[in-house]
Amino acid sequence: MKQLKSFIKKEFFHIFRDPRTMLILFGIPVAQLLVFGTVIKSEIKDVHIAIYDQSKDETTQEITNKLLSSGYFILDENLDNLDDIDAIFRKGKVREVIVFENNFGQTLGKEGIAKMQLIADASDPNIAKLAISYTTAIVNDYIRKLYPEMQLPMQITPEVRMYFNEEMKSAYMFVPGVMALILMLISAMMTSISITREKELGTMEILLVSPLRPVQIIVGKVLPYLLLSIANAFIIVLIGHFVFGVPVNGSFILLMLETILFILMALCLGILISTAAKNQMAAMFISMIGLMLPTILLSGFIFPIENMPVPLQYFSHIMPARYFITIVRTIMLKGSGILFIWKETAVLIGMTLFFIAVSVKKFKIRLE
């Protein structure tokens, strides 16, 4: 029994002395709990809306003030005509447009029923549903408090319209996100593991003394994953379109060019990971923890970025998948062109060049 106690005590000492083991046992669970607890929320916050007020009377102003003071909505713009709705949705910032009919307050006072139109960007169905639900609840609460003693309370009837996804199919949201996740993991993780495997097995030195140049070795390692990832992206788009009914309203050529850019960025990131990882296990660990979870949680794939705490919102700006998902949704669902996604494209190009520069520098240092 004493020997067993001594052995158990020794194991505890080994665990406490190993920082990596302590990180896995305590650091990662705490980090995951904090991230999941702050990211996974079923409510909305700071949703950008636009208002087209044809009445501009006291009632519409009170409803607008009640919506904005709720903490759920931020007024982005007051529209001048209905033709501005399509353009403002294509910019991607505004999630809902509220339209008040002419003589809104007068109609409500005389007839007891007034109409308003709620138009939501349903390229993300979850946010669209929540925005419509919250808006309707706030308007109904306004009516109840305005006429609390009426037996037949007045009504404001909302007419709901879902833009870009009228049937509210969840596939419209998941296909772009899954596409980003798969391409990121295949391109970055598999590339980093492939190069690290050569170093771990000692075959990298054999390759370096061969007639091949270091650049040619890297290209030879990366090119197969580039071609396979492009084929994967093509298959995902086809399955999404023909099986799940996700449209490709924009240019298919532009979509594939943006996809190739994202794959190149992920491949360069994989090369960077391989220069930092000493073995395949470390490369896989960095890829899984550093790429998979952030891509799912912090890219806007499932959970709205607007709902996250401010520090995580800033941190999400370094997530490449965030920009690619926006690009895919803009092209496939909204049918927009390069003028609406040039900022996201520029960010991906900048990330690609940065990863290339850092990877080349680190790779040269390791060779020396």
Side-chain angles (χ1 to χ4, degrees):
M1 184 61 68
K2 290 182 179 180
Q3 293 177 343
L4 177 60
K5 289 182 179 179
S6 299
F7 182 74
I8 294 174
K9 186 177 180 180
K10 179 187 72 70
E11 287 301 314
F12 271 111
F13 282 139
H14 279 302
I15 292 173
F16 291 146
R17 290 173 181 173
D18 188 359
R20 292 175 296 181
T21 304
M22 294 298 293
L23 177 64
I24 294 174
L25 286 174
F26 297 103
I28 293 178
V30 171
Q32 288 182 338
L33 179 62
L34 292 175
V35 171
F36 276 89
T38 53
V39 170
I40 301 176
K41 294 182 178 180
S42 58
E43 68 271 13
I44 60 174
K45 180 183 177 183
D46 295 339
V47 173
H48 288 260
I49 63 173
I51 295 177
Y52 176 39
D53 190 351
Q54 302 176 80
S55 182
K56 292 184 174 64
D57 54 35
E58 184 179 353
T59 304
T60 59
Q61 290 299 319
E62 289 179 355
I63 294 176
T64 300
N65 292 335
K66 191 170 181 63
L67 288 169
L68 300 181
S69 63
S70 65
Y72 302 123
F73 302 102
I74 296 176
L75 181 60
D76 192 80
E77 188 175 343
N78 283 301
L79 304 181
D80 296 324
N81 55 71
L82 290 173
D83 296 334
D84 296 335
I85 294 177
D86 184 78
I88 199 170
F89 272 143
R90 292 186 184 278
K91 292 179 181 179
K93 190 175 183 180
V94 171
R95 302 285 189 165
E96 181 186 35
V97 174
I98 301 172
V99 181
F100 293 103
E101 66 175 352
N102 284 317
N103 302 319
F104 185 89
Q106 185 178 357
T107 304
L108 180 64
K110 289 183 177 180
E111 302 179 8
I113 297 178
K115 294 181 180 180
M116 61 186 297
Q117 189 175 23
L118 306 179
I119 308 173
D121 180 357
S123 57
D124 190 328
N126 290 339
I127 297 181
K129 290 178 183 178
L130 290 172
I132 294 296
S133 176
Y134 277 50
T135 304
T136 304
I138 291 172
V139 171
N140 290 337
D141 182 68
Y142 166 79
I143 291 296
R144 284 194 300 269
K145 292 181 178 179
L146 187 63
Y147 305 100
E149 299 178 356
M150 292 191 64
Q151 296 180 352
L152 295 176
M154 294 187 177
Q155 293 182 353
I156 297 179
T157 306
E159 179 186 339
V160 179
R161 178 185 175 189
M162 296 297 180
Y163 230 68
F164 306 122
N165 185 8
E166 295 183 359
E167 298 179 5
M168 297 293 289
K169 293 182 178 180
S170 59
Y172 284 37
M173 178 183 69
F174 283 107
V175 168
V178 170
M179 185 174 177
L181 178 62
I182 291 175
L183 295 181
M184 176 65 78
L185 290 180
I186 289 179
S187 303
M189 185 172 70
M190 297 308 297
T191 302
S192 64
I193 292 175
S194 175
I195 297 177
T196 307
R197 182 173 61 245
E198 298 289 351
K199 296 190 297 182
E200 189 176 359
L201 297 176
T203 54
M204 180 61 75
E205 287 74 11
I206 299 175
L207 292 173
L208 292 175
V209 298
S210 68
L212 293 173
R213 297 179 180 178
V215 175
Q216 293 175 321
I217 296 173
I218 297 298
V219 171
K221 283 289 184 182
V222 165
L223 187 59
Y225 292 106
L226 172 63
L227 298 178
L228 292 174
S229 297
I230 294 174
N232 260 318
F234 189 76
I235 293 172
I236 292 170
V237 172
L238 290 180
I239 293 176
H241 180 67
F242 291 106
V243 177
F244 298 105
V246 181
V248 184
N249 293 322
S251 170
F252 182 78
I253 296 177
L254 177 61
L255 175 63
M256 295 310 298
L257 289 175
E258 295 285 350
T259 301
I260 293 173
L261 172 61
F262 180 72
I263 293 172
L264 286 174
M265 182 280 307
L267 291 171
C268 295
L269 180 56
I271 297 172
L272 179 59
I273 293 173
S274 70
T275 62
K278 296 181 179 180
N279 50 57
Q280 297 181 67
M281 187 62 66
M284 183 176 296
F285 181 80
I286 295 173
S287 300
M288 293 294 290
I289 301 299
L291 296 179
M292 184 175 180
L293 287 178
T295 298
I296 295 175
L297 297 176
L298 302 178
S299 64
F301 170 23
I302 299 176
F303 309 107
I305 296 175
E306 295 86 352
N307 289 13
M308 302 176 188
V310 175
L312 287 182
Q313 291 186 32
Y314 284 116
F315 185 73
S316 69
H317 284 87
I318 65 174
M319 294 292 107
R322 168 180 178 167
Y323 305 99
F324 182 65
I325 290 174
T326 300
I327 290 172
V328 174
R329 288 177 177 171
T330 302
I331 295 175
M332 294 183 67
L333 304 181
K334 301 180 180 181
S336 302
I338 189 66
L339 294 178
F340 292 91
I341 56 173
W342 68 269
K343 293 181 180 179
E344 289 80 6
T345 303
V347 172
L348 290 181
I349 292 175
M351 287 183 174
T352 304
L353 296 176
F354 173 77
F355 292 147
I356 289 175
V358 176
S359 299
V360 169
K361 183 178 180 180
K362 285 184 173 292
F363 195 73
K364 286 182 177 180
I365 293 175
R366 291 186 68 89
L367 291 182
E368 294 172 356

